[in-house]
Amino acid sequence: MRRRHGGIIAAGLIGVSLAAVFASIGVGSESISFAAAWRDWCAGRPLADAPELAILLQHRLPRTLAALLAGGGLALAGCVFQALLRNPLATPYTLGVASAGAFGAYAATVVMRSAGLALALWGFSAVQVCAFVFALLDVSLIYLMAVRRHHVSSSVLLLAGITLGMLSNAGMMLVRFLSDPGMLAMMERWLMGGVDVIGYEPVVTLAAGVLPCSAVLLLQAAKFDQLGFGAEVAQGRGVNVRRLQTTTFLLGSFLTAVIVSEVGPIGFVGLIVPHAVRSLTGSRHRLLMPLSFVAGGAFLCLCDIFARIVLPGETPIGIITAFLGGPFFLYLLLRRRFGDWET
Amino acid sequence: MGRRLESHSVSFAYVPESPVLADVDVGVTGGEVMGVIGPNGSGKSTLLRLLCGFLRPARGAVLLDGQPLSAIRSRERARILAFLPQTVTPAFALTAFEVVLLGRYPRLGPLGAPAGRDREIALRCMRETETDGLRYRDFGTLSGGERQRVLLASILAQEPDLLLLDEPTAALDINHQAGIFALLRGLARNGYGVVVVTHDLNVAGQFCDRLVLMSARARIVAQGTPRQVLTRDLLTEAYESPIVVTEHPITGTPLVWPEPASAGGAKP
């Protein structure tokens, strides 16, 4: 069992990701001449007079950045949760973060509509705020149930998370049952997710949530290698296990809550991207974690390109991540390249 | 001038009603192998975790070179004493060499990136435990004996002064048991202090310098050389069941057996 050189894998993945980013900027319903856009840029024309430049700067670029940040964050959080819970199925979504967020969004939509309010808070819509708050409420409850004196119980985290996820789903069904069809359509669309942002406000929000959390998580990579051998081994090596579990659980959840509230509960990225990368890198977290971020961002960019061009109109990106990612994941599973999990 | 790790009248209980340890005084110094023996539930593993600093004593203190262990930062502690739990099950597949290299963690910088020197040390530790031939093997495919040796190499890679091992030979055949203990003996000769919890009284009697015999009544029955501790009376008291002690035909060290039930012994 020899390892391929980390540098080569990293270079390859980063190369593919850059290609995805350029493709994402270049592809869309309007075909754009980069040369014309460049001329407009150099001439310093206002965006109103330079439609091609406007599409690039106001639509394509923010959209690509949003996909990169959201995909990267979701993949990194998934990778962290798999290591944290020593379970190949664990992601923030497994713990109900997305379901709770979606429930929050649903409830907000209904309450706002029936009360005739269009509430906004510091520029965030009530839907976003509720999604975020509910997602955080979910993880806080789970954490309080699972925390012990010297460690955090992985099995309680998982079981409580799955239970709260089911409760959120039931809550969502109740809201749907009680609300009228017009409102349902609106909510359904949100549930499928999408990075079809316009302008930079959502990108700034995403970046403010994703980048600092990711940086702190990436700094813990070496500790996750230790945790892979069990809490006692890690403790014997000088890792403060409870502190590691607490900080990374909360940061991973917070990051996911930011993403879900901004682009909706996009599924699958957090589960499959870390496994796919792991099949290349092995479980060396100092390599696996940053590359999961890169690959997650590229994967969501790629899915977004499909969302723009495959069907007329915008296909919800959640459908694409599942249709692209699912079969690929099964392929890995059947080829026994299912990461490096000892089972 | 080896390190000294000792407990001063340490008491501990997981639940207040049933104390696991009461007023326990033990100590290990660099250069010696101390065996901790006793029946199941006598608190051997708990004692080991107290000595590691994983558990805090309810009363008393654990001292490392006279300093309270609790006052030492966990990273610093990991450079002085290394712990090997009874069962180690990695969640991910790693090569034997990667497993050993992970032992370097407390000696690495904040990013945990091993350098060439760390690889050299890891390889040296594999040579010390005669596992360097296994370096590219998947850890999960190694035999029980090979695994224990690789894990031993991984805690040696921490470059500690004291080793604390919880039943390192529990799953091994007698040949590999003796092999691991001979290795520990050799390490002690090189200055390491070793604390080893074991159920094998005969191997313990042959390889340990000192033994601590614990009983299910939260206390230490006896400590001293194997000859002082492995006696019929003390063992019968600790295990609450009649024990026979004879002599090893070659080494002369004590050999221990439960008395057959027909001879009027074991409780129903």
Side-chain angles (χ1 to χ4, degrees), chain A:
Chain A
M1 195 169 113
R2 277 178 188 261
R3 295 284 192 211
R4 265 162 294 184
H5 198 275
I8 299 169
I9 301 168
L13 263 177
I14 291 171
V16 170
S17 306
L18 284 177
V21 168
F22 282 115
S24 171
I25 296 174
V27 172
S29 51
E30 310 283 328
S31 71
I32 284 178
S33 146
F34 277 101
W38 179 246
R39 273 195 304 276
D40 288 340
W41 173 261
C42 291
R45 282 200 195 105
L47 290 182
D49 300 337
E52 308 213 304
L53 188 59
I55 290 178
L56 272 189
L57 288 185
Q58 289 300 313
H59 293 259
R60 300 271 176 86
L61 194 58
R63 191 172 180 149
T64 303
L65 289 174
L68 275 178
L69 288 167
L74 289 174
L76 181 63
C79 185
V80 163
F81 272 53
Q82 287 166 8
L84 192 63
L85 302 178
R86 289 162 55 90
N87 187 316
L89 284 176
T91 67
Y93 281 26
T94 327
L95 301 191
V97 176
S99 306
F103 176 43
Y106 261 60
T109 313
V110 171
V111 172
M112 294 300 119
R113 271 296 191 87
S114 49
L117 295 169
L119 198 72
L121 208 61
W122 304 304
F124 298 105
S125 74
V127 170
Q128 274 180 11
V129 173
C130 276
F132 182 73
V133 168
F134 273 62
L136 280 194
L137 211 61
D138 171 82
V139 289
S140 314
L141 276 176
I142 297 171
Y143 179 77
L144 288 177
M145 283 188 257
V147 67
R148 299 283 183 272
R149 186 143 178 236
H150 289 281
H151 69 293
V152 181
S153 161
S154 306
S155 39
V156 174
L157 277 183
L158 272 172
L159 290 170
I162 289 169
T163 310
L164 283 185
M166 289 196 289
L167 281 175
S168 302
N169 283 331
M172 222 152 44
M173 280 197 279
L174 181 69
V175 174
R176 288 169 62 169
F177 176 68
L178 295 174
S179 52
D180 68 83
M183 215 182 293
L184 272 184
M186 233 175 84
M187 294 191 283
E188 290 293 318
R189 185 62 190 83
W190 187 86
L191 203 61
M192 293 175 186
V195 291
D196 44 337
V197 301
I198 298 169
Y200 289 90
E201 235 170 70
V203 176
V204 170
T205 312
L206 273 176
V210 170
L211 293 180
C213 290
S214 299
V216 177
L217 288 175
L218 288 172
L219 288 175
Q220 318 297 318
K223 294 178 188 162
F224 285 120
D225 286 344
Q226 301 295 329
L227 200 61
F229 272 72
E232 276 202 324
V233 171
Q235 214 178 350
R237 299 256 162 84
V239 175
N240 186 332
V241 172
R242 203 183 101 162
R243 194 165 68 198
L244 176 71
Q245 287 175 320
T246 304
T247 45
T248 55
F249 176 78
L250 294 180
L251 282 178
S253 306
F254 178 83
L255 174 157
T256 308
V258 169
I259 296 171
V260 168
S261 67
E262 203 59 47
V263 298
I266 299 172
F268 242 166
V269 181
L271 178 67
I272 61 174
V273 171
H275 285 305
V277 176
R278 200 189 294 271
S279 72
L280 291 174
T281 61
S283 297
R284 296 168 285 181
H285 285 88
R286 279 180 307 112
L287 196 58
L288 172 63
M289 286 171 56
L291 288 183
S292 288
F293 188 94
V294 170
F299 176 66
L300 209 58
C301 269
L302 208 67
C303 289
D304 188 44
I305 297 174
F306 275 89
R308 278 180 264 165
I309 61 172
V310 167
L311 292 175
E314 292 272 348
T315 317
I317 198 167
I319 299 174
I320 312 271
T321 55
F323 275 149
L324 276 186
F328 177 65
F329 190 54
L330 289 178
Y331 164 78
L332 286 181
L333 203 59
L334 292 174
R335 282 273 317 276
R336 294 178 185 279
R337 299 293 300 273
F338 188 49
D340 267 337
W341 293 91
E342 292 284 359
T343 40

Side-chain angles (χ1 to χ4, degrees), chain B:
Chain B
M1 34 163 254
R3 301 269 186 183
R4 179 157 178 84
L5 180 67
E6 55 201 331
S7 71
H8 270 285
S9 44
V10 159
S11 301
F12 183 83
Y14 291 102
V15 281
E17 310 83 87
S18 54
V20 181
L21 299 171
D23 286 327
V24 167
D25 289 290
V26 296
V28 63
T29 312
E32 67 172 357
V33 180
M34 181 174 91
V36 181
I37 56 174
N40 290 327
S42 57
K44 303 186 293 296
S45 296
T46 304
L47 176 61
L48 204 62
R49 279 160 183 75
L50 283 159
L51 289 174
C52 287
F54 294 177
L55 299 173
R56 292 277 174 87
R59 276 203 316 279
V62 176
L63 303 180
L64 178 64
D65 292 338
Q67 226 189 61
L69 189 61
S70 53
I72 301 173
R73 291 176 61 88
S74 54
R75 201 174 167 77
E76 179 60 28
R77 186 197 69 210
R79 295 177 190 170
I80 300 168
L81 50 96
F83 171 69
L84 188 60
Q86 193 176 341
T87 44
V88 175
T89 44
F92 317 111
L94 293 168
T95 65
F97 180 71
E98 285 171 333
V99 170
V100 177
L101 193 58
L102 283 180
R104 293 297 297 159
Y105 177 78
R107 302 255 170 202
L108 301 175
L111 284 180
R117 204 181 88 85
D118 298 299
R119 287 169 201 283
E120 278 165 30
I121 291 169
L123 198 57
R124 193 193 69 213
C125 295
M126 293 190 90
R127 267 187 229 112
E128 272 174 49
T129 59
E130 291 161 27
T131 52
D132 47 323
L134 306 171
R135 54 194 293 211
Y136 297 119
R137 289 273 302 278
D138 177 354
F139 181 76
T141 67
L142 299 179
S143 75
E146 291 169 338
R147 271 177 181 237
Q148 282 313 88
R149 281 173 180 273
V150 168
L151 289 172
L152 205 53
S154 85
I155 62 167
L156 290 180
Q158 290 175 232
E159 297 184 288
D161 300 313
L162 300 164
L163 306 175
L164 296 99
L165 313 145
D166 196 359
E167 296 193 44
T169 60
L172 304 187
D173 65 46
I174 53 172
N175 185 30
H176 281 102
Q177 280 187 1
I180 292 280
F181 270 91
L183 197 61
L184 296 179
R185 252 292 19 115
L187 290 171
R189 214 173 296 126
N190 293 335
Y192 288 96
V194 181
V195 182
V196 53
V197 168
T198 181
H199 274 301
D200 195 310
L201 305 181
N202 297 325
V203 175
Q206 196 179 333
F207 290 97
C208 294
D209 298 298
R210 278 189 319 111
L211 291 178
V212 174
L213 174 61
M214 304 180 66
S215 81
R217 292 166 199 276
R219 62 184 196 85
I220 288 176
V221 177
Q223 46 181 323
T225 64
R227 273 175 198 285
Q228 290 166 339
V229 174
L230 297 178
T231 67
R232 185 192 172 107
D233 292 344
L234 290 172
L235 289 170
T236 302
E237 184 191 339
Y239 286 86
E240 295 177 1
S241 160
I243 304 281
V244 193
V245 179
T246 62
E247 259 188 14
H248 192 292
I250 299 167
T251 60
T253 51
L255 283 185
V256 180
W257 306 97
E259 197 170 293
S262 56
K267 284 193 285 188

